[in-house]
Amino acid sequence: MDKRKMARDFVDIMDEMENVRSSRNFIVIEILILSAILGYYFHSWPTFFGSVIVLAILFVIPYLRVVLFVPLSVIWGLIAYAILGMFASGNIAIAGGVFICVLVFFIHVGSR
């Protein structure tokens, strides 16, 4: 009986690691896209590489992750608000933006 429980626990741990890995891939893609936007906006390769390095450092240090997660989540909320604002009323757009912001924040927190 103990071996079955250990096997189940091992499978659960592996599933959790896969979820964390996919969340981390999501954040890495966000970092690259945000850095590319900054580099394009400032027309500067050093800005692109500098922002990749700074955002990667913020992602690696556990206590500074929140500094990275909150603005990224807010950006996703603003994107959702802008898109919903084109198709729905203001209240629905605000509610959708807040929902997406909170959802993405929990995805980010799940990557720890």
Side-chain angles (χ1 to χ4, degrees):
M1 188 91 164
D2 280 339
K3 290 181 182 180
R4 287 184 186 175
K5 184 175 178 347
M6 280 184 8
R8 245 181 287 135
D9 289 343
F10 181 73
V11 169
D12 290 342
I13 290 170
M14 294 303 289
D15 287 343
E16 183 65 28
M17 287 174 57
E18 185 64 33
N19 291 338
V20 168
R21 190 174 301 128
S22 65
S23 294
R24 286 185 180 167
N25 290 340
F26 176 72
I27 294 171
V28 168
I29 291 170
E30 278 183 320
I31 288 171
L32 291 174
I33 290 173
L34 183 60
S35 298
I37 290 170
L38 287 172
Y40 180 77
Y41 181 75
F42 291 110
H43 302 289
S44 170
W45 282 105
T47 301
F48 170 74
F49 290 117
S51 64
V52 167
I53 291 170
V54 168
L55 292 173
I57 289 171
L58 287 175
F59 179 64
V60 172
I61 300 172
Y63 294 108
L64 295 178
R65 285 184 186 171
V66 176
V67 174
L68 178 64
F69 293 165
V70 170
L72 287 176
S73 300
V74 169
I75 289 170
W76 279 107
L78 292 173
I79 292 170
Y81 170 75
I83 292 172
L84 287 172
M86 290 188 285
F87 300 108
S89 69
N91 292 335
I92 293 174
I94 291 170
V98 170
F99 176 74
I100 294 297
C101 178
V102 171
L103 179 69
V104 170
F105 182 75
F106 284 126
I107 290 172
H108 288 146
V109 171
S111 68
R112 303 187 294 142

